[in-house]
Amino acid sequence: MASASPRVSKDGQDDNVERVTTVSTATEQNGSLNHRASIPQSKTQEGVGVALASNAATLDVQMRGYANGYHFPPKYPIKEQIRMGLVAFWDFYNTGFGFFLTIYSLNVIAWGGMLFLLLCNAAPAMCWVDGTFDCNHIDSPRRIWIETTSQILNALFCVTGFGLAPWRFRDWYFLLRYRLRNDQKALRTLAGVHRGWFRLAGSEQLPVHLGPKNIEETTAVCDVDSVPHPFSTIPDAPPTGIRAPSTKLWKLDFVIYFNVANTFLQCVLSGFMWALNRYDRPSWSTGLFVCLACIASAVAGVMMGVEGKHVKTIEGVPLTKRDIERLARDRELGIPHYNNIKDKDPEVEKEKARSKREKKWFGKSEKSGLGTDNERQAFCD
C-alpha cells in the first residue's frame, strides 16, 4: 500500500515522497470487531506464549528476512544523514509548532548556559561591590544576574509544566479509573493516547493488516479489550507483519506519575520564585526543585523513548521511496544491509556487549586483587 505525502523542496515546489508500508496478506477475515469475543481463561497462558513466540520470531528474521519481504531502511553515510536531518529540520521549522519549539529550545539552552557560567563564576568582574571583591554578596552583579536568569528559566519551564498539565491530569484520571475501578475502557483510552510506545495485552494477536484506516470496516473477530479506544487510535499496521508484545503496565504508571510529578514540582518551584524575594528565599530551594523537576520530566521521556524504540525494532518503520531505491541499488552492487533497525550484524553486537561485560568484571576483579595484595603487604610490614 503506498500513499503520497507532500513535502516542500528547496525551490518552493511540492514533490511527493511515497511512504511505502508492506503488509502481510496471509490473514483471513472472519467475524466482526464490533462483537466482543469472550476469551476463555486459558487464553492468558496462550498470550504469554504468543509474546515469547513474537520475540523469538523477531530474532529469527533479523538475519533471514520477513515473510512479507519487508526490509528495514538502510543506514546512510554520516554526511548524507546530516544533510537529510537538516532538510527534515527545515521542513519542521517552517511549521508553526516547529518555529515555536525551536525558539523555545534556544531560549532554554541560552539562559541555561548563562546560569551555568554564572554559577561557575566565569566572570569575576561581576563580583565587585562598592570596591569590595565578594562573589557571594547579595547585591553583587553576579547574584543579581543569577536571580534574573533563574526567573527567566522558571518562566520557560512553566510553559511545559503548566501548559501540558491538562493532558497530564487527563492521563492521570484515566489511570486512576483503571487502577481503582478496573475500567478497561480507561486503559484502552490511554493506549490510544500513547499509541507510539504502549501496547495492550493481547494486541500481538490482532490481525497484522489492521490499522486506523480499515479498523471500522474489518470483519475480523478480535477481543475489544486489546484494541485502543476509540478504534481509530489503533497503531498502524506493522510493516514487518509482526506486532510487538504487550507493554508492562508499570511502565505506563511510571510515565504518567513522573509527568504529573513534573507539574507539581514546577508549582512548588514557582511558589518559591514568585512568593519570596531573593533576600528571603532559601538558597537551596531554587537549585533543588529545578533539578527535581528536570529529572522527573527527563526520566518519563527516556522511558517513552526506550519503549518506542523497542516497538519499532519489532514492528518496523515505513520505508520512503529513497530507502527502497537505495536498497535496490545496493543489492545490485552487492552491498549488504542487515535486516534490523540498526543495520548492524547482531552477532557482532552481541560479541561487543560480551567483551564489554568481561572487561568490566575483569577490572573489578583486578582492583579487588590489588586491594588484597596491599592489605597483605601492610599486614606483613
Side-chain angles (χ1 to χ4, degrees):
M1 184 183 301
S3 61
S5 59
R7 177 180 294 178
V8 181
S9 64
K10 295 181 179 179
D11 299 331
Q13 299 178 352
D14 292 343
D15 60 339
N16 292 329
V17 179
E18 295 183 0
R19 294 282 173 182
V20 182
T21 55
T22 55
V23 182
S24 174
T25 58
T27 305
E28 297 183 356
Q29 300 180 349
N30 52 0
S32 174
L33 182 66
N34 295 328
H35 296 286
R36 289 180 177 267
S38 60
I39 296 183
Q41 198 69 18
S42 60
K43 288 291 185 179
T44 304
Q45 297 179 353
E46 293 181 8
V48 177
V50 171
L52 295 175
S54 177
N55 287 335
T58 302
L59 295 175
D60 184 56
V61 299
Q62 280 184 342
M63 294 297 295
R64 297 190 294 104
Y66 292 92
N68 59 9
Y70 174 81
H71 198 293
F72 277 90
K75 185 177 181 180
Y76 293 91
I78 185 64
K79 292 184 178 179
E80 197 167 353
Q81 291 183 38
I82 294 174
R83 184 173 61 83
M84 294 168 59
L86 291 175
V87 171
F89 169 74
W90 182 251
D91 293 337
F92 174 72
Y93 175 78
N94 287 328
T95 63
F97 178 73
F99 176 79
F100 168 78
L101 184 60
T102 302
I103 298 301
Y104 174 82
S105 302
L106 290 176
N107 272 276
V108 171
I109 294 172
W111 290 106
M114 183 174 178
L115 180 61
F116 174 77
L117 293 175
L118 289 170
L119 293 175
C120 293
N121 198 18
M126 302 179 70
C127 297
W128 290 96
V129 183
D130 298 331
T132 304
F133 186 84
D134 186 1
C135 293
N136 292 322
H137 195 283
I138 193 66
D139 291 325
S140 65
R142 174 178 175 271
R143 292 290 298 273
I144 294 174
W145 271 106
I146 287 178
E147 173 68 15
T148 304
T149 307
S150 299
Q151 291 286 0
I152 294 174
L153 282 173
N154 178 60
L156 290 171
F157 293 151
C158 285
V159 174
T160 54
F162 297 154
L164 298 177
W167 292 272
R168 290 175 174 178
F169 285 111
R170 175 206 59 189
D171 291 352
W172 191 23
Y173 168 72
F174 283 123
L175 181 63
L176 291 177
R177 279 182 53 183
Y178 170 71
R179 288 301 187 185
L180 299 179
R181 299 182 180 179
N182 197 26
D183 188 348
Q184 291 294 327
K185 187 176 181 181
L187 180 62
R188 293 170 53 211
T189 302
L190 288 174
V193 172
H194 300 278
R195 63 193 294 269
W197 64 273
F198 183 77
R199 294 293 181 268
L200 289 167
S203 60
E204 65 273 13
Q205 304 178 38
L206 294 174
V208 295
H209 69 277
L210 284 183
K213 297 181 179 179
N214 61 1
I215 185 67
E216 298 290 348
E217 293 80 16
T218 187
T219 57
V221 176
C222 305
D223 178 20
V224 73
D225 288 337
S226 63
V227 182
H229 175 79
F231 290 154
S232 59
T233 58
I234 187 176
D236 296 329
T240 61
I242 301 175
R243 291 191 181 272
S246 59
T247 309
K248 296 180 180 179
L249 287 178
W250 71 263
K251 297 181 179 180
L252 183 64
D253 294 81
F254 184 92
V255 169
I256 292 176
Y257 276 110
F258 270 97
N259 281 332
V260 173
N262 172 260
T263 297
F264 280 123
L265 290 170
Q266 189 61 42
C267 291
V268 176
L269 175 62
S270 299
F272 276 101
M273 296 297 292
W274 298 339
L276 302 174
N277 57 43
R278 65 192 186 96
Y279 297 99
D280 301 329
R281 186 187 311 122
S283 58
W284 52 266
S285 60
T286 304
L288 174 64
F289 289 107
V290 166
C291 181
L292 291 177
C294 290
I295 291 175
S297 179
V299 295
V302 168
M303 176 63 76
M304 290 190 291
V306 170
E307 290 301 310
K309 183 70 173 294
H310 176 67
V311 169
K312 291 180 181 178
T313 301
I314 298 175
E315 297 187 353
V317 293
L319 293 170
T320 63
K321 184 177 180 180
R322 183 192 192 97
D323 295 333
I324 297 176
E325 292 175 351
R326 174 59 66 90
L327 288 171
R329 191 201 70 175
D330 290 349
R331 190 178 297 111
E332 293 177 358
L333 297 176
I335 301 176
H337 287 287
Y338 292 96
N339 201 5
N340 53 60
I341 197 168
K342 293 182 178 180
D343 195 7
K344 294 182 179 179
D345 188 349
E347 297 299 327
V348 174
E349 293 299 308
K350 290 180 181 178
E351 186 62 29
K352 288 182 179 179
R354 189 182 302 109
S355 300
K356 188 175 181 180
R357 287 195 300 268
E358 290 177 355
K359 289 181 180 179
K360 182 178 178 181
W361 285 108
F362 178 76
K364 288 184 177 179
S365 61
E366 187 177 21
K367 290 180 180 179
S368 177
L370 289 174
T372 304
D373 293 340
N374 293 335
E375 290 174 1
R376 290 175 180 173
Q377 184 67 29
F379 179 78
C380 293
D381 294 340

